[in-house]
Amino acid sequence: MTPASRAECEDLDRADPLGRFRSEFDLPAGLIYLDGNSLGAMPRNVTAALQKVAAEEWARGLIRSWNHAGWVDAGTRVGAKIARLLGAAEDEVVVADSTSINLYKAIGAAIQAGHDGWVLTDEGNFPTDLYVVEAAVRQFGAKGLRLVPRERLREEIRSDVDLVTASHVDYRTGHMLDMAELTEAAGAAGALFVWDLCHSAGAVPVDLAEAGVDLAVGCTYKYLNGGPGSPAFIHVSSRFQDRLRSPIPGWFGHQDTFAFGSEYAPAGGARRFQAGTPGILGLAGLEVAVDLWLDVDMATARAKSVALSELLIDRVGERCAPHGVGLASPRDPALRGSHVSLTHPDAHGVVQALGAAGVIADHRPPDLVRLGLTPLYTRFVDVWDAIEILAEVLDSQTYREAAFAVRERVP
Ligand SMILES: Cc1ncc(COP(=O)(O)O)c(C=O)c1O
């Protein structure tokens, strides 16, 4: 049963076991932020952490900080913490580069290791995944790329498929695949599976060991709250670490980076997938956010995320249905990540009008209004109020105003 009044939402917020986390974030007063699925909110302690890295470690410590401020190990140290959040062993995850680059490294490594038959992916996969996988298939000489509808992925994993990649949670609809089932099916066909966890890490419970995952990549700036463009992670199961080599064998992935040897010898663990010098400022902000996550019980976060999304869907049904608003996300919460997508013929205008009325969501073409539910700082009253405001925008048709038709570079 979802709450039937704003007062009931307030009661739920008061009883919320995650309620204390909201004050850990620096959110503008009066704004309802439902876009943590694109860029997570900033943890308050980030400001001090960045100040420390810049003013003390960099300005005063200079080059000495690589040793004395823990810079040299930051990628593996933060990777180990993310590993704990994802149910992996500490040396199976390293933080480095972007998701796009990590995906390239993962796919390239798998093809180079002999998984060079057909590569399979979801035709609606995130664009960077499609571009990168297509290029990697060509450059590393796999047989070819097969694009199939997301709902057919399972049946298309056949014996001629050597490598599969997909987003665990779909960026458009929030549809969540069964990670364990698909990984097992790939393994039974002799294929490796590379998961994109951008909309999963910090959004839904993930247990990479239990699901038997081979390889995974993901970003840290959405639900993990690492900050704009914060570095991504790559997970490589210990089962494959010895036989997988990064196609970008940079010195930070070398066994002994500072031996300056002329021969490349890959490091053990996922560290071999680090390429160059880590971006310390980005890692510093990310580490603050990950430390916050280490105090969160993911089952509690998931329960709240589901409750928030159920409330949202019910309220949209009650308040907005007459206005041509549809649901693009699965109705079954077990098949949904932590965002809900609505359809509307003028989704762009609706998102702009919502923003002007104090509700930040985002738009994905052609017709989606995406609403992210981030249980560390989204309250039940936020969802209630956001849908009241959405209903007003639709009732008054303010979304038709000329100002809301202006397209910015980031939708
Ligand atoms: C599923 C998915 N993969 C990849 C990316 C982007 O990767 P990168 O961090 O390299 O820009 C996104 C960004 O939103 C995404 O949603």
Side-chain angles (χ1 to χ4, degrees):
M1 277 287 284
T2 54
S5 66
R6 193 175 193 282
E8 279 184 39
C9 290
E10 285 172 338
D11 290 344
L12 285 178
D13 287 329
R14 268 191 293 273
D16 177 7
L18 299 175
R20 71 180 177 89
F21 284 100
R22 184 174 163 89
S23 61
E24 300 281 352
F25 291 89
D26 190 354
L27 284 160
L31 190 80
I32 301 178
Y33 190 64
L34 300 182
D35 209 5
N37 53 309
S38 272
L39 175 66
M42 190 188 79
R44 282 185 195 282
N45 291 344
V46 164
T47 317
L50 293 184
Q51 171 75 17
K52 179 168 176 279
V53 174
E56 289 177 31
E57 297 175 9
W58 180 9
R60 302 272 81 80
L62 292 162
I63 193 74
R64 294 168 290 191
S65 289
W66 281 105
N67 288 315
H68 300 160
W71 288 359
V72 72
D73 297 319
T76 46
R77 182 178 68 247
V78 182
K81 292 181 182 186
I82 292 178
R84 282 161 61 190
L85 299 178
L86 300 178
E90 295 200 340
D91 72 341
E92 289 180 320
V93 178
V94 70
V95 171
D97 305 313
S98 63
T99 307
S100 305
I101 294 174
N102 287 340
L103 185 64
Y104 181 80
K105 291 185 290 191
I107 298 286
I111 296 173
Q112 283 180 337
H115 289 270
D116 55 2
W118 284 99
V119 179
L120 183 69
T121 194
D122 163 12
E123 64 187 10
N125 204 349
F126 190 78
T128 206
D129 298 52
L130 294 174
Y131 309 150
V132 165
V133 174
E134 192 276 327
V137 163
R138 211 169 358 93
Q139 293 169 16
F140 296 102
K143 191 163 187 182
L145 178 62
R146 215 175 261 164
L147 299 171
V148 298
R150 188 171 172 83
E151 60 277 11
R152 294 234 324 266
L153 266 179
R154 171 70 189 82
E155 68 198 73
E156 293 288 342
I157 299 176
R158 297 193 289 254
S159 58
D160 61 345
V161 169
D162 253 351
L163 187 56
V164 190
T165 181
S167 296
H168 177 226
V169 174
D170 183 71
Y171 79 104
R172 284 201 177 93
T173 62
H175 174 259
M176 181 162 59
L177 293 170
D178 187 327
M179 187 184 283
E181 189 202 355
L182 285 165
T183 302
E184 195 190 338
L192 290 185
F193 206 123
V194 182
W195 287 99
D196 180 333
L197 303 180
C198 280
H199 288 271
S200 311
V204 294
V206 172
D207 192 327
L208 297 174
E210 196 179 273
V213 165
D214 309 318
L215 289 139
V217 297
C219 68
T220 60
Y221 45 75
K222 299 178 189 295
Y223 296 89
L224 291 179
N225 312 303
S230 56
F233 62 85
I234 177 165
H235 160 271
V236 186
S237 162
S238 55
R239 298 191 306 281
F240 304 107
Q241 279 167 1
D242 288 345
R243 68 182 179 94
L244 292 180
R245 283 180 165 231
S246 171
I248 309 176
W251 70 321
F252 263 76
H254 191 284
Q255 243 173 44
D256 191 354
T257 303
F258 294 98
F260 297 100
S262 52
E263 297 265 308
Y264 185 73
R271 184 164 83 77
R272 62 176 54 191
F273 281 81
Q274 248 184 343
T277 309
I280 295 303
L281 288 165
L283 271 157
L286 173 59
E287 190 161 15
V288 171
V290 170
D291 283 343
L292 206 57
W293 267 109
L294 288 171
D295 278 344
V296 176
D297 172 43
M298 199 59 213
T300 308
R302 172 65 174 164
K304 183 176 171 194
S305 156
V306 168
L308 290 169
S309 59
E310 288 291 284
L311 171 64
L312 189 147
I313 292 169
D314 282 358
R315 291 299 294 154
V316 167
E318 282 162 30
R319 301 286 283 113
C320 310
H323 295 290
V325 173
L327 178 66
S329 299
R331 188 63 193 83
D332 178 357
L335 299 178
R336 216 166 51 220
S338 201
H339 72 267
V340 171
S341 291
L342 307 175
T343 58
H344 187 275
D346 188 359
H348 176 267
V350 170
V351 166
Q352 296 301 311
L354 277 175
V359 179
I360 306 286
D362 66 20
H363 161 57
R364 288 294 174 266
D367 63 349
L368 294 183
V369 175
R370 276 198 321 184
L371 302 156
L373 301 158
T374 44
L376 297 195
Y377 50 86
T378 305
R379 298 167 301 191
F380 289 90
V381 284
D382 294 328
V383 172
W384 184 277
D385 292 345
I387 302 310
E388 286 302 302
I389 294 170
L390 174 62
E392 281 163 30
V393 161
L394 296 169
D395 283 342
S396 59
Q397 301 198 1
T398 50
Y399 62 86
R400 290 177 184 268
E401 287 173 18
F404 298 142
V406 176
R407 304 262 165 176
E408 291 187 290
R409 284 199 61 201
V410 181

